[in-house]
């Protein structure tokens, strides 16, 4: 049974106070932001590949009715090939790894909030514990997205979940906001049957890997979700402009030896993200 959780402040070393202004004086670009909010949806309605019975008209249509084994993310016998495209805005798109179910990795839109972190497990994998019900996203918004998946030498997987520009144009992703999911936060805080609680030397990080139009790696950026007993519990800015102009960004998760086992990470390989800002030339 989990102990009562004491929320920690975000890591000071990764929290920044950069402006989100879309039109900073002297800049040659403006920012367009992927918010996952229905009011900001500019894409035309579409259906999943081979599933004309499922129509996506706004972002909330991409939220499964349950967090695990739902029709959208886990229909193994009649897969949806779940994916989204922020058409008419940032042009960013996602996809489930290898076209399979969400357990194989991918990016799922969510609005789930969970305040009670006792007895939490994979059944609550799309929840965050920051904010409140109906306003769990960055800046109190409704929706956000959850990344699941990693690749290392021990795991059987060889493909990472990624964001890519659907139109194939290389652009600079300026930043996004990230936080731990409730499941990952609870595991790092209190441990579970598979993983000990984070200790003084523990760490868990996101690794963003950019690829240019030629398919070559353009750079890497990292964000610590956990450093020792300091565990990120609030939406925090993750700077990505150092990746330069990219057509695709893959996201991996890595952790310290105590958070790993014979077959790879024992801590849940999830993080939540929101408000992905992309640079576009000023008109």
């Amino acid at each position: 049974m989990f102990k009562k959780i004491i929320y920690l402040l975000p890591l000071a070393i990764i929290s920044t106070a950069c402006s989100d202004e879309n039109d900073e004086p002297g800049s040659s670009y403006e920012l367009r932001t992927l918010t996952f909010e229905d009011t900001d949806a500019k894409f035309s309605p579409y259906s999943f590949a081979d599933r004309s019975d499922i129509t996506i008209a706004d972002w909330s249509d991409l939220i499964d009715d349950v967090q695990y084994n739902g029709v959208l993310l886990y229909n193994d016998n009649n897969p949806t090939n779940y994916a989204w495209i922020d058409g008419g805005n940032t042009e960013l798109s996602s996809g489930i790894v290898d076209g399979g179910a969400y357990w194989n990795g991918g990016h799922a839109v969510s609005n789930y909030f969970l305040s009670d972190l006792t007895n939490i497990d994979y059944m609550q994998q799309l929840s965050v514990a920051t904010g409140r019900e109906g306003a769990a996203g960055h800046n109190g918004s409704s929706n956000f997205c959850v990344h699941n998946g990693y690749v290392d030498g021990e795991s059987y997987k060889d493909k990472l979940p990624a964001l890519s520009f659907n139109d194939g144009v290389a652009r600079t992703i300026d930043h996004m906001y990230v936080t731990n999911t409730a499941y990952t936060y609870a595991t790092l805080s209190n441990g579970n049957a598979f993983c000990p609680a984070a200790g003084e030397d523990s760490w868990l990080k996101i690794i963003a890997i950019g690829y240019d139009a030629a398919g070559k790696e353009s750079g890497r950026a990292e964000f610590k979700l956990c450093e020792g007993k300091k565990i990120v519990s609030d939406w925090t800015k993750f700077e990505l402009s150092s990746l330069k102009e990219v057509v695709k960004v893959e996201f991996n998760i890595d952790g310290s030896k105590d958070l790993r086992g014979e077959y790879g990470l024992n801590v849940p390989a999830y993080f939540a993200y929101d408000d992905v800002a992309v640079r576009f030339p000023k008109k």
Side-chain angles (χ1 to χ4, degrees):
M1 180 176 292
F2 289 110
K3 301 175 184 177
K4 182 178 179 181
I5 289 180
I6 300 175
Y7 285 92
L8 303 174
L9 293 175
L11 290 175
I13 61 172
I14 57 178
S15 178
T16 61
C18 297
S19 171
D20 281 343
E21 291 295 326
N22 288 357
D23 191 13
E24 295 180 3
S27 68
S28 60
Y29 61 85
E30 61 184 10
L31 295 181
R32 297 184 190 176
T33 304
L34 167 56
T35 68
F36 301 105
E37 300 302 303
D38 292 345
T39 54
D40 295 329
K42 296 181 180 179
F43 55 81
S44 300
Y46 63 93
S47 296
F48 292 135
D50 302 321
R51 290 299 301 271
S52 59
D53 58 314
I54 299 176
T55 300
I56 306 302
D58 56 39
W59 290 108
S60 293
D61 289 335
L62 289 153
I63 301 174
D64 223 336
D65 289 339
V66 292
Q67 298 187 55
Y68 179 76
N69 207 27
V71 171
L72 294 181
L73 297 171
Y74 285 91
N75 198 332
D76 292 349
N77 294 325
N78 191 11
T80 63
N81 290 306
Y82 182 103
W84 48 258
I85 302 171
D86 188 28
N89 188 31
T90 65
E91 304 300 336
L92 285 169
S93 63
S94 79
I96 295 295
V97 174
D98 291 332
Y102 188 58
W103 55 259
N104 205 41
H107 291 166
V109 180
S110 175
N111 63 359
Y112 288 99
F113 170 75
L114 189 66
S115 59
D116 182 3
L117 302 186
T118 57
N119 299 318
I120 187 174
D121 59 18
Y122 60 87
M123 300 292 287
Q124 296 86 35
Q125 64 177 340
L126 299 182
S127 294
V128 295
T130 185
R132 56 184 172 81
E133 189 73 36
H138 175 242
N139 274 341
S141 63
S142 298
N143 300 339
F144 51 91
C145 201
V146 176
H147 164 105
N148 170 39
Y150 74 102
V151 168
D152 64 9
E154 289 77 37
S155 65
Y156 66 90
K157 300 175 184 177
D158 60 3
K159 293 184 179 180
L160 289 168
L163 295 179
S164 59
F165 288 107
N166 189 62
D167 57 6
V169 177
R171 301 181 178 92
T172 298
I173 301 177
D174 193 84
H175 65 269
M176 60 168 53
Y177 284 85
V178 299
T179 191
N180 278 299
T181 65
Y183 183 26
T184 303
Y185 182 86
T187 303
L188 291 169
S189 297
N190 295 327
N192 59 23
F194 305 100
C195 185
E200 294 294 343
D201 298 322
S202 300
W203 54 267
L204 185 72
K205 66 182 179 182
I206 306 167
I207 305 169
I209 310 161
Y211 294 90
D212 63 20
K216 295 182 179 180
E217 184 175 321
S218 64
R220 297 190 175 206
E222 297 185 352
F223 181 96
K224 287 286 184 67
L225 291 166
C226 165
E227 188 165 21
K229 293 182 178 296
K230 297 178 181 178
I231 306 167
V232 173
S233 62
D234 203 358
W235 292 103
T236 309
K237 199 172 191 178
F238 182 11
E239 296 284 356
L240 294 169
S241 60
S242 63
L243 301 181
K244 303 178 182 178
E245 289 196 342
V246 297
V247 295
K248 180 176 73 172
V249 178
E250 294 180 338
F251 293 91
N252 204 0
I253 299 177
D254 195 9
S256 52
K257 186 176 180 180
D258 59 312
L259 302 180
R260 307 182 66 87
E262 182 179 357
Y263 302 106
L265 284 174
N266 286 335
V267 67
Y270 298 84
F271 68 88
Y273 67 92
D274 198 2
D275 289 346
V276 187
V278 178
R279 296 180 183 180
F280 281 78
K282 285 185 176 179
K283 296 180 179 180

